[in-house]
Amino acid sequence: MSTQQSLFLIVVLIVASGFFSMAEIALAASRRIRLRQLAADGDQRAPKVLQMQEQPGDYFTVVQVAQNGIAILGGIIGEGAFSPFITSVLGHWMDGKHASTLGFWISFLLITSLFILFSDILPKRLGMAEPERVAMRVYRPMLLVITLLRPLVWFYGKISDLVFKLLGLPMLRDERITSEDILAMTEAGTQAGVLAQNEQRVIANLFDLDNRLVTSAMTARDRIAFFLQNDSDALIRARIGAEPYSTYPVCDRDIDHVIGYVDAQDLLQRALNNQPISLSDDSLLQKALVIPDRLSLAETLEQFRQAGEDFAVVVNEYSLVVGVVTLNDVMSTVMGDLIGPDDEELIVQRDEHSWLIDGITPIEDVVHALHIDEFPHFEDYDTMAGFLMVMLRRIPRRTDSVNWGGYKFEVMDVDSYRIDQVLVTRLCAEGQEPKEQETASLGAPSP
């Protein structure tokens, strides 16, 4: 075989090997969601590529058989084409034995480099750039090669299936899409500029509804504005003016005996018409939806849907009221709002390394604000105050502090055993290394 023929065959083998490399990476990298979209748009090749992805055994067997065969043949032809020429050139400067050995290795490196660059790296980068389009274009040629090499495909396929069974390995790819997969895609979309950051945050919050309890979104017991059933007209009017809300629970004797709720619009309408307001009036009083405090926000939304309500009273295992929640509270959580219509901001960033956090702030919001992976004993509390109580194992006092995850959580203000404000400082800002284990510092008793 002449040198020109050998060079021509090497070029053909490199092109063929590049085709199989590109076909392999294109099928593996093709996104099923994108292929389904192309199929829905009428592309007839997309369903076939999807079917090939579901059972890729024959496809990848052909790729490996072809690539290995081409690599061996390319080495043989390349050594015969380049080695004699390189050996003869080197023979002018060294003896024949050394020139032959060095010529062989130079020929080997040259052929290997050509195959690595033009039949592996470049085709795979091209296949990764547009995997779906490439996979659909190479589908028919690959199907033809599979048919031509059917005996080899069957033989190697059976052997590989046997090995998989003996080792107990999965033979099919798990195509189930999890919430983590979707969140990873939205984060990638945000980084690419396809999604705005606030849009990505809304999607993440939607998936977080199953993990967040209703207590993270409710109005706590000590902030509930409620009426007693026997409250006078004057007292009701005064409270509406002082604490304007859309809905008010109505109780018998105390807050733990809720008998219903009244809508502020109904009260306002009577006030504007100069009609007396009596909470004993059945036309004003509506039946309250009561839910346990262990429900997730997703379950709370389902309760609202089934009951046709947008207001619920939250009770604990002892049937004591711990808060109230509205549909708007849940949706505000989805939208990522930390500011209510009449509330101060719960998390205030003072500077790059410190935050002022209200004690009632849901611990999930603290996790997102500080980018902490997780808090210890996460299942035992719902708020920032609960975290400090669990860590200190007692009611915190002013100046008490806890170190966790590279942050210092210091109690700044306590009102009747209720933690009002917590100062969070990043420890590494003070030249300290983040701590793996928690430490607690006990302050002096408050006067």
Side-chain angles (χ1 to χ4, degrees):
M1 185 182 297
S2 66
T3 303
Q4 291 81 2
Q5 290 174 328
S6 297
L7 292 176
F8 175 75
L9 282 177
I10 289 173
V11 171
V12 171
L13 292 174
I14 289 176
V15 172
S17 181
F19 167 80
F20 288 112
S21 293
M22 186 168 57
E24 178 185 26
I25 198 67
L27 185 69
S30 293
R31 296 160 293 185
R32 295 185 65 82
I33 294 177
R34 177 61 178 157
L35 289 172
R36 289 193 181 103
Q37 182 181 354
L38 291 171
D41 292 340
D43 195 316
Q44 300 297 322
R45 300 169 297 175
K48 298 177 181 178
V49 176
L50 279 169
Q51 185 179 5
M52 186 67 74
Q53 272 193 334
E54 293 175 358
Q55 296 180 335
D58 292 351
Y59 190 97
F60 290 126
T61 299
V62 165
V63 168
Q64 294 306 313
V65 169
Q67 283 188 317
N68 283 278
I70 289 172
I72 294 172
L73 186 59
I76 295 172
I77 296 175
E79 195 276 334
F82 294 112
S83 185
F85 174 75
I86 297 173
T87 299
S88 64
V89 173
L90 294 175
H92 293 87
W93 294 281
M94 59 183 67
D95 62 82
K97 181 178 180 181
H98 290 87
S100 177
T101 302
L102 187 58
F104 168 78
W105 283 109
I106 292 176
S107 175
F108 171 77
L109 291 175
L110 178 60
I111 291 296
T112 302
S113 299
L114 289 173
F115 270 88
I116 289 175
L117 181 61
F118 293 104
S119 70
D120 196 51
I121 295 178
L122 294 180
K124 285 186 176 180
R125 290 183 64 176
L126 178 60
M128 285 292 294
E130 295 182 331
E132 295 83 16
R133 191 178 74 171
V134 172
M136 290 189 296
R137 286 192 173 184
V138 302
Y139 172 78
R140 290 187 182 279
M142 284 297 299
L143 199 61
L144 176 61
V145 177
I146 291 173
T147 303
L148 294 176
L149 298 181
R150 178 60 63 186
L152 286 175
V153 171
W154 179 87
F155 176 72
Y156 289 115
K158 290 299 182 181
I159 293 179
S160 61
D161 289 345
L162 179 61
V163 173
F164 268 73
K165 290 179 180 179
L166 291 175
L167 298 178
L169 299 175
M171 300 180 64
L172 296 177
R173 184 170 66 176
D174 188 357
E175 298 294 348
R176 292 174 297 181
I177 298 177
T178 65
S179 58
E180 288 79 9
D181 296 331
I182 298 176
L183 290 177
M185 291 176 62
T186 59
E187 289 176 4
T190 302
Q191 294 175 1
V194 178
L195 281 176
Q197 189 170 7
N198 58 345
E199 294 173 337
Q200 191 273 333
R201 184 68 193 138
V202 168
I203 296 173
N205 286 339
L206 282 172
F207 285 105
D208 207 25
L209 290 180
D210 279 322
N211 301 321
R212 298 186 63 163
L213 295 178
V214 64
T215 49
S216 68
M218 72 180 186
T219 300
R221 176 190 178 101
D222 61 343
R223 295 193 174 191
I224 298 176
F226 66 95
F227 297 123
L228 296 177
Q229 191 174 23
N230 57 0
D231 280 347
S232 64
D233 180 282
L235 180 59
I236 294 172
R237 292 173 185 267
R239 181 160 295 173
I240 293 174
E243 300 176 284
Y245 292 101
S246 61
T247 308
Y248 298 88
V250 179
C251 307
D252 180 20
R253 300 191 304 277
D254 56 47
I255 193 174
D256 292 316
H257 295 83
V258 178
I259 59 175
Y261 73 93
V262 290
D263 195 303
Q265 291 184 352
D266 295 334
L267 298 178
L268 180 61
Q269 185 176 6
R270 293 209 173 194
L272 292 176
N273 294 331
N274 292 320
Q275 295 176 338
I277 301 176
S278 173
L279 298 180
S280 299
D281 189 345
D282 292 338
S283 63
L284 275 180
L285 196 62
Q286 301 183 48
K287 186 177 180 179
L289 173 65
V290 180
I291 60 175
D293 62 352
R294 294 294 93 186
L295 288 186
S296 68
L297 290 179
E299 292 170 326
T300 301
L301 282 176
E302 180 62 20
Q303 290 283 334
F304 282 147
R305 187 191 66 80
Q306 292 180 358
E309 294 283 353
D310 58 4
F311 172 83
V313 178
V314 184
V315 299
N316 62 14
E317 58 184 311
Y318 304 105
S319 298
L320 300 178
V321 174
V322 295
V324 295
V325 66
T326 66
L327 180 60
N328 184 62
D329 293 332
V330 180
M331 298 314 298
S332 294
T333 302
V334 173
M335 300 306 295
D337 295 332
L338 294 178
I339 304 176
D342 300 298
D343 295 326
E344 295 182 353
E345 195 170 357
L346 298 179
I347 300 179
V348 178
Q349 185 165 3
R350 299 169 70 242
D351 54 45
E352 186 181 356
H353 301 292
S354 66
W355 295 259
L356 198 61
I357 300 179
D358 196 294
I360 66 169
T361 305
I363 201 67
E364 291 89 352
D365 293 335
V366 180
V367 169
H368 293 312
L370 302 182
H371 303 290
I372 294 178
D373 291 336
E374 64 177 5
F375 279 85
H377 316 294
F378 194 85
E379 68 281 356
D380 294 336
Y381 50 85
D382 300 314
T383 64
M384 183 81 263
F387 161 70
L388 292 169
M389 289 181 183
V390 168
M391 298 300 291
L392 294 169
R393 312 307 298 176
R394 61 172 175 78
I395 302 298
R397 296 189 289 264
R398 186 160 51 89
T399 73
D400 283 351
S401 65
V402 170
N403 291 354
W404 178 264
Y407 294 87
K408 179 181 180 181
F409 301 84
E410 183 177 2
V411 180
M412 301 300 294
D413 188 25
V414 178
D415 182 16
S416 298
Y417 305 110
R418 177 185 178 275
I419 300 175
D420 277 341
Q421 296 291 334
V422 179
L423 178 63
V424 181
T425 307
R426 198 194 311 269
L427 292 178
C428 55
E430 303 171 4
Q432 303 181 37
E433 292 295 328
K435 299 180 181 293
E436 293 297 330
Q437 301 296 328
E438 72 270 17
T439 61
S441 174
L442 308 182
S446 301

PDB file of all heavy atoms in Angstrom, residues 18-37:
ATOM      1  N   GLY A  18     -14.652   9.833  14.417  1.00  0.00           N
ATOM      2  CA  GLY A  18     -15.275  11.077  14.889  1.00  0.00           C
ATOM      3  C   GLY A  18     -16.789  11.016  14.817  1.00  0.00           C
ATOM      4  O   GLY A  18     -17.487  11.526  15.707  1.00  0.00           O
ATOM      5  N   PHE A  19     -17.300  10.368  13.772  1.00  0.00           N
ATOM      6  CA  PHE A  19     -18.757  10.211  13.649  1.00  0.00           C
ATOM      7  C   PHE A  19     -19.320   9.404  14.814  1.00  0.00           C
ATOM      8  O   PHE A  19     -20.324   9.790  15.430  1.00  0.00           O
ATOM      9  CB  PHE A  19     -19.088   9.521  12.318  1.00  0.00           C
ATOM     10  CG  PHE A  19     -20.501   9.041  12.228  1.00  0.00           C
ATOM     11  CD1 PHE A  19     -21.532   9.913  11.909  1.00  0.00           C
ATOM     12  CD2 PHE A  19     -20.818   7.698  12.467  1.00  0.00           C
ATOM     13  CE1 PHE A  19     -22.843   9.467  11.830  1.00  0.00           C
ATOM     14  CE2 PHE A  19     -22.128   7.252  12.384  1.00  0.00           C
ATOM     15  CZ  PHE A  19     -23.143   8.146  12.071  1.00  0.00           C
ATOM     16  N   PHE A  20     -18.672   8.295  15.152  1.00  0.00           N
ATOM     17  CA  PHE A  20     -19.179   7.461  16.251  1.00  0.00           C
ATOM     18  C   PHE A  20     -19.035   8.162  17.610  1.00  0.00           C
ATOM     19  O   PHE A  20     -19.897   8.024  18.479  1.00  0.00           O
ATOM     20  CB  PHE A  20     -18.455   6.110  16.258  1.00  0.00           C
ATOM     21  CG  PHE A  20     -18.858   5.216  15.128  1.00  0.00           C
ATOM     22  CD1 PHE A  20     -17.957   4.909  14.109  1.00  0.00           C
ATOM     23  CD2 PHE A  20     -20.130   4.682  15.070  1.00  0.00           C
ATOM     24  CE1 PHE A  20     -18.332   4.083  13.054  1.00  0.00           C
ATOM     25  CE2 PHE A  20     -20.518   3.848  14.025  1.00  0.00           C
ATOM     26  CZ  PHE A  20     -19.612   3.553  13.009  1.00  0.00           C
ATOM     27  N   SER A  21     -17.954   8.918  17.777  1.00  0.00           N
ATOM     28  CA  SER A  21     -17.788   9.667  19.026  1.00  0.00           C
ATOM     29  C   SER A  21     -18.890  10.709  19.182  1.00  0.00           C
ATOM     30  O   SER A  21     -19.472  10.875  20.259  1.00  0.00           O
ATOM     31  CB  SER A  21     -16.420  10.352  19.055  1.00  0.00           C
ATOM     32  OG  SER A  21     -15.378   9.420  19.121  1.00  0.00           O
ATOM     33  N   MET A  22     -19.167  11.421  18.106  1.00  0.00           N
ATOM     34  CA  MET A  22     -20.201  12.447  18.142  1.00  0.00           C
ATOM     35  C   MET A  22     -21.581  11.822  18.364  1.00  0.00           C
ATOM     36  O   MET A  22     -22.406  12.354  19.116  1.00  0.00           O
ATOM     37  CB  MET A  22     -20.183  13.240  16.827  1.00  0.00           C
ATOM     38  CG  MET A  22     -21.134  14.431  16.797  1.00  0.00           C
ATOM     39  SD  MET A  22     -20.806  15.495  15.375  1.00  0.00           S
ATOM     40  CE  MET A  22     -20.985  14.327  14.028  1.00  0.00           C
ATOM     41  N   ALA A  23     -21.833  10.672  17.733  1.00  0.00           N
ATOM     42  CA  ALA A  23     -23.112   9.985  17.910  1.00  0.00           C
ATOM     43  C   ALA A  23     -23.284   9.521  19.344  1.00  0.00           C
ATOM     44  O   ALA A  23     -24.384   9.613  19.917  1.00  0.00           O
ATOM     45  CB  ALA A  23     -23.195   8.800  16.943  1.00  0.00           C
ATOM     46  N   GLU A  24     -22.216   9.034  19.951  1.00  0.00           N
ATOM     47  CA  GLU A  24     -22.289   8.536  21.326  1.00  0.00           C
ATOM     48  C   GLU A  24     -22.621   9.658  22.300  1.00  0.00           C
ATOM     49  O   GLU A  24     -23.539   9.544  23.110  1.00  0.00           O
ATOM     50  CB  GLU A  24     -20.959   7.896  21.706  1.00  0.00           C
ATOM     51  CG  GLU A  24     -20.912   7.394  23.137  1.00  0.00           C
ATOM     52  CD  GLU A  24     -19.538   6.866  23.512  1.00  0.00           C
ATOM     53  OE1 GLU A  24     -18.542   7.319  22.900  1.00  0.00           O
ATOM     54  OE2 GLU A  24     -19.460   6.023  24.415  1.00  0.00           O
ATOM     55  N   ILE A  25     -21.886  10.754  22.246  1.00  0.00           N
ATOM     56  CA  ILE A  25     -22.087  11.832  23.213  1.00  0.00           C
ATOM     57  C   ILE A  25     -23.411  12.552  22.966  1.00  0.00           C
ATOM     58  O   ILE A  25     -24.054  13.035  23.895  1.00  0.00           O
ATOM     59  CB  ILE A  25     -20.900  12.831  23.166  1.00  0.00           C
ATOM     60  CG1 ILE A  25     -20.881  13.666  24.449  1.00  0.00           C
ATOM     61  CG2 ILE A  25     -20.968  13.719  21.950  1.00  0.00           C
ATOM     62  CD1 ILE A  25     -20.562  12.888  25.691  1.00  0.00           C
ATOM     63  N   ALA A  26     -23.846  12.624  21.710  1.00  0.00           N
ATOM     64  CA  ALA A  26     -25.105  13.308  21.400  1.00  0.00           C
ATOM     65  C   ALA A  26     -26.290  12.580  22.012  1.00  0.00           C
ATOM     66  O   ALA A  26     -27.187  13.201  22.590  1.00  0.00           O
ATOM     67  CB  ALA A  26     -25.276  13.438  19.890  1.00  0.00           C
ATOM     68  N   LEU A  27     -26.312  11.252  21.896  1.00  0.00           N
ATOM     69  CA  LEU A  27     -27.419  10.496  22.471  1.00  0.00           C
ATOM     70  C   LEU A  27     -27.409  10.586  23.995  1.00  0.00           C
ATOM     71  O   LEU A  27     -28.456  10.739  24.627  1.00  0.00           O
ATOM     72  CB  LEU A  27     -27.340   9.026  22.043  1.00  0.00           C
ATOM     73  CG  LEU A  27     -28.525   8.169  22.503  1.00  0.00           C
ATOM     74  CD1 LEU A  27     -29.792   8.561  21.758  1.00  0.00           C
ATOM     75  CD2 LEU A  27     -28.236   6.673  22.309  1.00  0.00           C
ATOM     76  N   ALA A  28     -26.213  10.500  24.588  1.00  0.00           N
ATOM     77  CA  ALA A  28     -26.124  10.545  26.046  1.00  0.00           C
ATOM     78  C   ALA A  28     -26.496  11.921  26.592  1.00  0.00           C
ATOM     79  O   ALA A  28     -27.093  12.023  27.675  1.00  0.00           O
ATOM     80  CB  ALA A  28     -24.712  10.170  26.493  1.00  0.00           C
ATOM     81  N   ALA A  29     -26.169  12.985  25.861  1.00  0.00           N
ATOM     82  CA  ALA A  29     -26.386  14.341  26.366  1.00  0.00           C
ATOM     83  C   ALA A  29     -27.742  14.919  25.980  1.00  0.00           C
ATOM     84  O   ALA A  29     -28.116  15.982  26.493  1.00  0.00           O
ATOM     85  CB  ALA A  29     -25.274  15.266  25.864  1.00  0.00           C
ATOM     86  N   SER A  30     -28.470  14.268  25.098  1.00  0.00           N
ATOM     87  CA  SER A  30     -29.763  14.806  24.663  1.00  0.00           C
ATOM     88  C   SER A  30     -30.739  14.881  25.838  1.00  0.00           C
ATOM     89  O   SER A  30     -30.881  13.928  26.600  1.00  0.00           O
ATOM     90  CB  SER A  30     -30.357  13.934  23.550  1.00  0.00           C
ATOM     91  OG  SER A  30     -29.586  14.015  22.391  1.00  0.00           O
ATOM     92  N   ARG A  31     -31.392  16.014  25.965  1.00  0.00           N
ATOM     93  CA  ARG A  31     -32.351  16.225  27.053  1.00  0.00           C
ATOM     94  C   ARG A  31     -33.717  15.695  26.631  1.00  0.00           C
ATOM     95  O   ARG A  31     -34.252  16.084  25.590  1.00  0.00           O
ATOM     96  CB  ARG A  31     -32.426  17.705  27.396  1.00  0.00           C
ATOM     97  CG  ARG A  31     -31.133  18.283  27.948  1.00  0.00           C
ATOM     98  CD  ARG A  31     -31.099  19.783  27.827  1.00  0.00           C
ATOM     99  NE  ARG A  31     -31.042  20.196  26.425  1.00  0.00           N
ATOM    100  CZ  ARG A  31     -30.910  21.466  26.028  1.00  0.00           C
ATOM    101  NH1 ARG A  31     -30.825  22.419  26.911  1.00  0.00           N
ATOM    102  NH2 ARG A  31     -30.863  21.755  24.737  1.00  0.00           N
ATOM    103  N   ARG A  32     -34.281  14.846  27.478  1.00  0.00           N
ATOM    104  CA  ARG A  32     -35.565  14.240  27.155  1.00  0.00           C
ATOM    105  C   ARG A  32     -36.666  15.293  27.060  1.00  0.00           C
ATOM    106  O   ARG A  32     -37.573  15.180  26.230  1.00  0.00           O
ATOM    107  CB  ARG A  32     -35.921  13.181  28.203  1.00  0.00           C
ATOM    108  CG  ARG A  32     -34.968  12.003  28.215  1.00  0.00           C
ATOM    109  CD  ARG A  32     -35.428  10.923  29.172  1.00  0.00           C
ATOM    110  NE  ARG A  32     -36.692  10.330  28.761  1.00  0.00           N
ATOM    111  CZ  ARG A  32     -36.825   9.376  27.858  1.00  0.00           C
ATOM    112  NH1 ARG A  32     -35.750   8.904  27.249  1.00  0.00           N
ATOM    113  NH2 ARG A  32     -38.003   8.881  27.554  1.00  0.00           N
ATOM    114  N   ILE A  33     -36.594  16.292  27.901  1.00  0.00           N
ATOM    115  CA  ILE A  33     -37.612  17.346  27.853  1.00  0.00           C
ATOM    116  C   ILE A  33     -37.575  18.061  26.518  1.00  0.00           C
ATOM    117  O   ILE A  33     -38.611  18.341  25.903  1.00  0.00           O
ATOM    118  CB  ILE A  33     -37.394  18.337  29.014  1.00  0.00           C
ATOM    119  CG1 ILE A  33     -37.646  17.642  30.353  1.00  0.00           C
ATOM    120  CG2 ILE A  33     -38.299  19.551  28.868  1.00  0.00           C
ATOM    121  CD1 ILE A  33     -37.383  18.519  31.557  1.00  0.00           C
ATOM    122  N   ARG A  34     -36.362  18.356  26.042  1.00  0.00           N
ATOM    123  CA  ARG A  34     -36.205  19.030  24.755  1.00  0.00           C
ATOM    124  C   ARG A  34     -36.672  18.135  23.612  1.00  0.00           C
ATOM    125  O   ARG A  34     -37.331  18.596  22.665  1.00  0.00           O
ATOM    126  CB  ARG A  34     -34.749  19.424  24.570  1.00  0.00           C
ATOM    127  CG  ARG A  34     -34.437  20.079  23.244  1.00  0.00           C
ATOM    128  CD  ARG A  34     -35.205  21.359  23.038  1.00  0.00           C
ATOM    129  NE  ARG A  34     -34.863  21.993  21.781  1.00  0.00           N
ATOM    130  CZ  ARG A  34     -35.641  22.850  21.132  1.00  0.00           C
ATOM    131  NH1 ARG A  34     -36.820  23.187  21.654  1.00  0.00           N
ATOM    132  NH2 ARG A  34     -35.261  23.392  20.007  1.00  0.00           N
ATOM    133  N   LEU A  35     -36.354  16.839  23.678  1.00  0.00           N
ATOM    134  CA  LEU A  35     -36.786  15.907  22.624  1.00  0.00           C
ATOM    135  C   LEU A  35     -38.304  15.779  22.600  1.00  0.00           C
ATOM    136  O   LEU A  35     -38.910  15.710  21.523  1.00  0.00           O
ATOM    137  CB  LEU A  35     -36.150  14.540  22.854  1.00  0.00           C
ATOM    138  CG  LEU A  35     -34.638  14.447  22.578  1.00  0.00           C
ATOM    139  CD1 LEU A  35     -34.095  13.099  23.032  1.00  0.00           C
ATOM    140  CD2 LEU A  35     -34.343  14.667  21.088  1.00  0.00           C
ATOM    141  N   ARG A  36     -38.926  15.747  23.782  1.00  0.00           N
ATOM    142  CA  ARG A  36     -40.395  15.687  23.822  1.00  0.00           C
ATOM    143  C   ARG A  36     -41.012  16.946  23.213  1.00  0.00           C
ATOM    144  O   ARG A  36     -42.041  16.880  22.536  1.00  0.00           O
ATOM    145  CB  ARG A  36     -40.865  15.511  25.264  1.00  0.00           C
ATOM    146  CG  ARG A  36     -40.571  14.133  25.853  1.00  0.00           C
ATOM    147  CD  ARG A  36     -41.335  13.919  27.141  1.00  0.00           C
ATOM    148  NE  ARG A  36     -41.047  12.620  27.732  1.00  0.00           N
ATOM    149  CZ  ARG A  36     -40.252  12.424  28.767  1.00  0.00           C
ATOM    150  NH1 ARG A  36     -39.663  13.475  29.334  1.00  0.00           N
ATOM    151  NH2 ARG A  36     -40.027  11.231  29.259  1.00  0.00           N
ATOM    152  N   GLN A  37     -40.376  18.069  23.458  1.00  0.00           N
ATOM    153  CA  GLN A  37     -40.880  19.312  22.882  1.00  0.00           C
ATOM    154  C   GLN A  37     -40.763  19.289  21.359  1.00  0.00           C
ATOM    155  O   GLN A  37     -41.690  19.703  20.646  1.00  0.00           O
ATOM    156  CB  GLN A  37     -40.094  20.497  23.453  1.00  0.00           C
ATOM    157  CG  GLN A  37     -40.580  21.855  22.947  1.00  0.00           C
ATOM    158  CD  GLN A  37     -39.765  22.996  23.517  1.00  0.00           C
ATOM    159  OE1 GLN A  37     -38.913  22.797  24.375  1.00  0.00           O
ATOM    160  NE2 GLN A  37     -40.029  24.197  23.030  1.00  0.00           N
TER     161      GLN A  37
END
